[in-house]
Amino acid sequence: QELGSGFPVLANNLTIDNLYYVKVDSASDFTVNGTLSVLNGDLRLKNCKVTLGPTATLLETPGNTCIGQIEVTRTVQTGVEEDFGNVGIIINASGNAPGVTNVNRYTGTPQTYANSQSILRYFDISPTINSDLNAKLTFKYDASELNGNNPATMNLWKYPEGAIRWYWQNATNYPDEYKLVATSVNSLSRWTASDANNPLATTLFVNILKGWNMISVSLIVEDYSKSALYPTSISSAYAYEGVNYVVKNTLQNTTGYWLKFL
């Protein structure tokens, strides 16, 4: 079913229940208050976006999603978990309060680097306050958006505002739930995910063995602290300098470090 310019610019509730999909090809954006439910088939947006109202909620079912751009704005307070109307991003800041925060979710289009492609979902997040947030960020996606990526080896990526490259982010992967969770996030911008075979920056993934490992940082990352790069290590990071090994809390590329793991 395809709908054009006659689609309403405001709906109090909207339910998609179609065997295949509903495509809205309109020059006008539209707003949904209440609940936008995608129960069967996709809602495919072309040349328009949907905005969720101040208290609106998105309800998608597995394999049935809104494909295109969704915009939502919420006020994020310190210590309060905000899910932005259930669009797939959750932020809980324990540092500075982000304040009024705009989120745009884009699905159906991957982010690319060289021959690598991300999943078919990314978020642009623009808070009023964007420093020292110390936030927990949960990134969710749908299995229909994998784009050939393997959820078992999924990684989280950030493209900081004004940057020229993607940065790998330390995150816990929950492949069965199709989500990644990062902590100690101090600023927000563009976020996406890809697996170990589709890195969005020059990356080398290595296997960590039990006991002492000699490791070099072969990732381009935003946070080079030992705690961020190797949170499961049970030792300090030791670098050889002259005739002694020296503890390093901040690591760097091209240097080898001894770290111990259980």
Side-chain angles (χ1 to χ4, degrees), residues 49-72:
K49 71 176 178 182
V50 59
T51 298
L52 296 183
T55 60
T57 300
L58 175 65
L59 173 61
E60 296 170 304
T61 54
N64 304 291
T65 64
C66 179
I67 301 175
Q69 182 183 357
I70 299 178
E71 183 175 30
V72 58

PDB file of all heavy atoms in Angstrom, residues 49-72:
ATOM      1  N   LYS A  49       9.802  12.523   6.967  1.00  0.00           N
ATOM      2  CA  LYS A  49      10.157  11.935   8.253  1.00  0.00           C
ATOM      3  C   LYS A  49       8.942  11.981   9.158  1.00  0.00           C
ATOM      4  O   LYS A  49       8.004  12.758   8.943  1.00  0.00           O
ATOM      5  CB  LYS A  49      11.328  12.671   8.902  1.00  0.00           C
ATOM      6  CG  LYS A  49      10.972  14.060   9.416  1.00  0.00           C
ATOM      7  CD  LYS A  49      12.147  14.716  10.133  1.00  0.00           C
ATOM      8  CE  LYS A  49      11.766  16.135  10.598  1.00  0.00           C
ATOM      9  NZ  LYS A  49      12.887  16.824  11.266  1.00  0.00           N
ATOM     10  N   VAL A  50       8.973  11.153  10.187  1.00  0.00           N
ATOM     11  CA  VAL A  50       7.925  11.171  11.198  1.00  0.00           C
ATOM     12  C   VAL A  50       8.522  11.693  12.497  1.00  0.00           C
ATOM     13  O   VAL A  50       9.632  11.309  12.886  1.00  0.00           O
ATOM     14  CB  VAL A  50       7.293   9.781  11.394  1.00  0.00           C
ATOM     15  CG1 VAL A  50       8.326   8.740  11.806  1.00  0.00           C
ATOM     16  CG2 VAL A  50       6.186   9.847  12.451  1.00  0.00           C
ATOM     17  N   THR A  51       7.811  12.598  13.135  1.00  0.00           N
ATOM     18  CA  THR A  51       8.215  13.130  14.429  1.00  0.00           C
ATOM     19  C   THR A  51       7.295  12.570  15.500  1.00  0.00           C
ATOM     20  O   THR A  51       6.070  12.587  15.343  1.00  0.00           O
ATOM     21  CB  THR A  51       8.143  14.667  14.452  1.00  0.00           C
ATOM     22  OG1 THR A  51       9.053  15.196  13.482  1.00  0.00           O
ATOM     23  CG2 THR A  51       8.507  15.216  15.825  1.00  0.00           C
ATOM     24  N   LEU A  52       7.877  12.050  16.578  1.00  0.00           N
ATOM     25  CA  LEU A  52       7.075  11.604  17.706  1.00  0.00           C
ATOM     26  C   LEU A  52       6.783  12.800  18.596  1.00  0.00           C
ATOM     27  O   LEU A  52       7.685  13.558  18.949  1.00  0.00           O
ATOM     28  CB  LEU A  52       7.816  10.529  18.508  1.00  0.00           C
ATOM     29  CG  LEU A  52       8.121   9.205  17.794  1.00  0.00           C
ATOM     30  CD1 LEU A  52       8.784   8.233  18.749  1.00  0.00           C
ATOM     31  CD2 LEU A  52       6.863   8.594  17.195  1.00  0.00           C
ATOM     32  N   GLY A  53       5.518  12.953  18.959  1.00  0.00           N
ATOM     33  CA  GLY A  53       5.117  14.064  19.812  1.00  0.00           C
ATOM     34  C   GLY A  53       5.759  13.989  21.189  1.00  0.00           C
ATOM     35  O   GLY A  53       6.464  13.026  21.523  1.00  0.00           O
ATOM     36  N   PRO A  54       5.502  14.988  22.046  1.00  0.00           N
ATOM     37  CA  PRO A  54       6.184  15.109  23.342  1.00  0.00           C
ATOM     38  C   PRO A  54       6.055  13.897  24.260  1.00  0.00           C
ATOM     39  O   PRO A  54       6.945  13.637  25.059  1.00  0.00           O
ATOM     40  CB  PRO A  54       5.534  16.347  23.966  1.00  0.00           C
ATOM     41  CG  PRO A  54       5.037  17.137  22.801  1.00  0.00           C
ATOM     42  CD  PRO A  54       4.616  16.138  21.779  1.00  0.00           C
ATOM     43  N   THR A  55       4.944  13.165  24.148  1.00  0.00           N
ATOM     44  CA  THR A  55       4.759  11.976  24.990  1.00  0.00           C
ATOM     45  C   THR A  55       4.492  10.725  24.149  1.00  0.00           C
ATOM     46  O   THR A  55       4.040   9.705  24.674  1.00  0.00           O
ATOM     47  CB  THR A  55       3.601  12.186  25.979  1.00  0.00           C
ATOM     48  OG1 THR A  55       2.386  12.434  25.245  1.00  0.00           O
ATOM     49  CG2 THR A  55       3.873  13.360  26.905  1.00  0.00           C
ATOM     50  N   ALA A  56       4.780  10.803  22.861  1.00  0.00           N
ATOM     51  CA  ALA A  56       4.469   9.691  21.962  1.00  0.00           C
ATOM     52  C   ALA A  56       5.441   8.530  22.146  1.00  0.00           C
ATOM     53  O   ALA A  56       6.571   8.701  22.606  1.00  0.00           O
ATOM     54  CB  ALA A  56       4.484  10.165  20.514  1.00  0.00           C
ATOM     55  N   THR A  57       4.995   7.340  21.740  1.00  0.00           N
ATOM     56  CA  THR A  57       5.785   6.120  21.875  1.00  0.00           C
ATOM     57  C   THR A  57       5.765   5.343  20.567  1.00  0.00           C
ATOM     58  O   THR A  57       4.745   5.276  19.880  1.00  0.00           O
ATOM     59  CB  THR A  57       5.228   5.224  22.999  1.00  0.00           C
ATOM     60  OG1 THR A  57       5.268   5.933  24.233  1.00  0.00           O
ATOM     61  CG2 THR A  57       6.036   3.942  23.139  1.00  0.00           C
ATOM     62  N   LEU A  58       6.921   4.756  20.231  1.00  0.00           N
ATOM     63  CA  LEU A  58       7.036   3.889  19.067  1.00  0.00           C
ATOM     64  C   LEU A  58       6.949   2.439  19.525  1.00  0.00           C
ATOM     65  O   LEU A  58       7.668   2.014  20.428  1.00  0.00           O
ATOM     66  CB  LEU A  58       8.373   4.124  18.361  1.00  0.00           C
ATOM     67  CG  LEU A  58       8.698   3.209  17.173  1.00  0.00           C
ATOM     68  CD1 LEU A  58       7.727   3.444  16.023  1.00  0.00           C
ATOM     69  CD2 LEU A  58      10.140   3.419  16.719  1.00  0.00           C
ATOM     70  N   LEU A  59       6.054   1.681  18.908  1.00  0.00           N
ATOM     71  CA  LEU A  59       5.904   0.258  19.215  1.00  0.00           C
ATOM     72  C   LEU A  59       6.179  -0.534  17.939  1.00  0.00           C
ATOM     73  O   LEU A  59       5.363  -0.534  17.010  1.00  0.00           O
ATOM     74  CB  LEU A  59       4.499  -0.043  19.740  1.00  0.00           C
ATOM     75  CG  LEU A  59       4.159  -1.527  19.954  1.00  0.00           C
ATOM     76  CD1 LEU A  59       5.085  -2.151  20.991  1.00  0.00           C
ATOM     77  CD2 LEU A  59       2.698  -1.696  20.370  1.00  0.00           C
ATOM     78  N   GLU A  60       7.334  -1.189  17.880  1.00  0.00           N
ATOM     79  CA  GLU A  60       7.696  -2.035  16.747  1.00  0.00           C
ATOM     80  C   GLU A  60       7.743  -3.483  17.203  1.00  0.00           C
ATOM     81  O   GLU A  60       8.077  -3.776  18.351  1.00  0.00           O
ATOM     82  CB  GLU A  60       9.059  -1.626  16.184  1.00  0.00           C
ATOM     83  CG  GLU A  60       9.079  -0.224  15.594  1.00  0.00           C
ATOM     84  CD  GLU A  60      10.479   0.260  15.267  1.00  0.00           C
ATOM     85  OE1 GLU A  60      11.328   0.264  16.192  1.00  0.00           O
ATOM     86  OE2 GLU A  60      10.722   0.659  14.119  1.00  0.00           O
ATOM     87  N   THR A  61       7.433  -4.393  16.299  1.00  0.00           N
ATOM     88  CA  THR A  61       7.525  -5.815  16.587  1.00  0.00           C
ATOM     89  C   THR A  61       8.695  -6.390  15.794  1.00  0.00           C
ATOM     90  O   THR A  61       9.109  -5.808  14.782  1.00  0.00           O
ATOM     91  CB  THR A  61       6.219  -6.531  16.211  1.00  0.00           C
ATOM     92  OG1 THR A  61       5.888  -6.234  14.844  1.00  0.00           O
ATOM     93  CG2 THR A  61       5.083  -6.072  17.119  1.00  0.00           C
ATOM     94  N   PRO A  62       9.294  -7.523  16.226  1.00  0.00           N
ATOM     95  CA  PRO A  62      10.460  -8.065  15.531  1.00  0.00           C
ATOM     96  C   PRO A  62      10.213  -8.254  14.042  1.00  0.00           C
ATOM     97  O   PRO A  62       9.244  -8.879  13.623  1.00  0.00           O
ATOM     98  CB  PRO A  62      10.676  -9.414  16.241  1.00  0.00           C
ATOM     99  CG  PRO A  62      10.151  -9.188  17.620  1.00  0.00           C
ATOM    100  CD  PRO A  62       8.949  -8.303  17.432  1.00  0.00           C
ATOM    101  N   GLY A  63      11.093  -7.670  13.245  1.00  0.00           N
ATOM    102  CA  GLY A  63      10.981  -7.780  11.798  1.00  0.00           C
ATOM    103  C   GLY A  63      10.022  -6.796  11.169  1.00  0.00           C
ATOM    104  O   GLY A  63       9.921  -6.730   9.937  1.00  0.00           O
ATOM    105  N   ASN A  64       9.332  -6.007  11.976  1.00  0.00           N
ATOM    106  CA  ASN A  64       8.390  -5.005  11.475  1.00  0.00           C
ATOM    107  C   ASN A  64       8.779  -3.659  12.070  1.00  0.00           C
ATOM    108  O   ASN A  64       8.566  -3.416  13.263  1.00  0.00           O
ATOM    109  CB  ASN A  64       6.960  -5.368  11.868  1.00  0.00           C
ATOM    110  CG  ASN A  64       6.566  -6.754  11.402  1.00  0.00           C
ATOM    111  OD1 ASN A  64       6.413  -7.001  10.208  1.00  0.00           O
ATOM    112  ND2 ASN A  64       6.437  -7.674  12.341  1.00  0.00           N
ATOM    113  N   THR A  65       9.347  -2.788  11.238  1.00  0.00           N
ATOM    114  CA  THR A  65       9.918  -1.544  11.752  1.00  0.00           C
ATOM    115  C   THR A  65       9.517  -0.363  10.881  1.00  0.00           C
ATOM    116  O   THR A  65       8.973  -0.524   9.785  1.00  0.00           O
ATOM    117  CB  THR A  65      11.453  -1.620  11.793  1.00  0.00           C
ATOM    118  OG1 THR A  65      11.954  -1.753  10.446  1.00  0.00           O
ATOM    119  CG2 THR A  65      11.931  -2.799  12.627  1.00  0.00           C
ATOM    120  N   CYS A  66       9.828   0.799  11.387  1.00  0.00           N
ATOM    121  CA  CYS A  66       9.709   2.024  10.606  1.00  0.00           C
ATOM    122  C   CYS A  66      11.038   2.249   9.900  1.00  0.00           C
ATOM    123  O   CYS A  66      12.074   2.384  10.551  1.00  0.00           O
ATOM    124  CB  CYS A  66       9.371   3.196  11.517  1.00  0.00           C
ATOM    125  SG  CYS A  66       9.222   4.768  10.651  1.00  0.00           S
ATOM    126  N   ILE A  67      11.018   2.268   8.579  1.00  0.00           N
ATOM    127  CA  ILE A  67      12.235   2.416   7.786  1.00  0.00           C
ATOM    128  C   ILE A  67      12.293   3.845   7.250  1.00  0.00           C
ATOM    129  O   ILE A  67      11.407   4.272   6.505  1.00  0.00           O
ATOM    130  CB  ILE A  67      12.278   1.404   6.626  1.00  0.00           C
ATOM    131  CG1 ILE A  67      12.220  -0.025   7.181  1.00  0.00           C
ATOM    132  CG2 ILE A  67      13.527   1.594   5.784  1.00  0.00           C
ATOM    133  CD1 ILE A  67      12.134  -1.096   6.111  1.00  0.00           C
ATOM    134  N   GLY A  68      13.342   4.560   7.643  1.00  0.00           N
ATOM    135  CA  GLY A  68      13.470   5.956   7.257  1.00  0.00           C
ATOM    136  C   GLY A  68      13.900   6.768   8.461  1.00  0.00           C
ATOM    137  O   GLY A  68      14.634   6.287   9.323  1.00  0.00           O
ATOM    138  N   GLN A  69      13.435   7.997   8.555  1.00  0.00           N
ATOM    139  CA  GLN A  69      13.860   8.910   9.615  1.00  0.00           C
ATOM    140  C   GLN A  69      12.756   9.138  10.631  1.00  0.00           C
ATOM    141  O   GLN A  69      11.626   9.476  10.282  1.00  0.00           O
ATOM    142  CB  GLN A  69      14.281  10.252   9.020  1.00  0.00           C
ATOM    143  CG  GLN A  69      14.779  11.260  10.040  1.00  0.00           C
ATOM    144  CD  GLN A  69      15.125  12.606   9.418  1.00  0.00           C
ATOM    145  OE1 GLN A  69      15.048  12.780   8.207  1.00  0.00           O
ATOM    146  NE2 GLN A  69      15.514  13.555  10.253  1.00  0.00           N
ATOM    147  N   ILE A  70      13.107   8.945  11.908  1.00  0.00           N
ATOM    148  CA  ILE A  70      12.224   9.270  13.024  1.00  0.00           C
ATOM    149  C   ILE A  70      12.932  10.301  13.888  1.00  0.00           C
ATOM    150  O   ILE A  70      14.094  10.125  14.255  1.00  0.00           O
ATOM    151  CB  ILE A  70      11.883   8.041  13.882  1.00  0.00           C
ATOM    152  CG1 ILE A  70      11.155   6.980  13.054  1.00  0.00           C
ATOM    153  CG2 ILE A  70      11.034   8.437  15.081  1.00  0.00           C
ATOM    154  CD1 ILE A  70      10.840   5.730  13.833  1.00  0.00           C
ATOM    155  N   GLU A  71      12.227  11.371  14.235  1.00  0.00           N
ATOM    156  CA  GLU A  71      12.796  12.407  15.092  1.00  0.00           C
ATOM    157  C   GLU A  71      12.010  12.482  16.395  1.00  0.00           C
ATOM    158  O   GLU A  71      10.783  12.398  16.403  1.00  0.00           O
ATOM    159  CB  GLU A  71      12.768  13.767  14.395  1.00  0.00           C
ATOM    160  CG  GLU A  71      13.408  14.884  15.217  1.00  0.00           C
ATOM    161  CD  GLU A  71      13.473  16.202  14.467  1.00  0.00           C
ATOM    162  OE1 GLU A  71      12.578  16.440  13.614  1.00  0.00           O
ATOM    163  OE2 GLU A  71      14.401  16.985  14.708  1.00  0.00           O
ATOM    164  N   VAL A  72      12.738  12.645  17.490  1.00  0.00           N
ATOM    165  CA  VAL A  72      12.088  12.768  18.800  1.00  0.00           C
ATOM    166  C   VAL A  72      12.946  13.664  19.681  1.00  0.00           C
ATOM    167  O   VAL A  72      14.176  13.622  19.612  1.00  0.00           O
ATOM    168  CB  VAL A  72      11.878  11.377  19.450  1.00  0.00           C
ATOM    169  CG1 VAL A  72      13.188  10.637  19.621  1.00  0.00           C
ATOM    170  CG2 VAL A  72      11.171  11.504  20.790  1.00  0.00           C
TER     171      VAL A  72
END
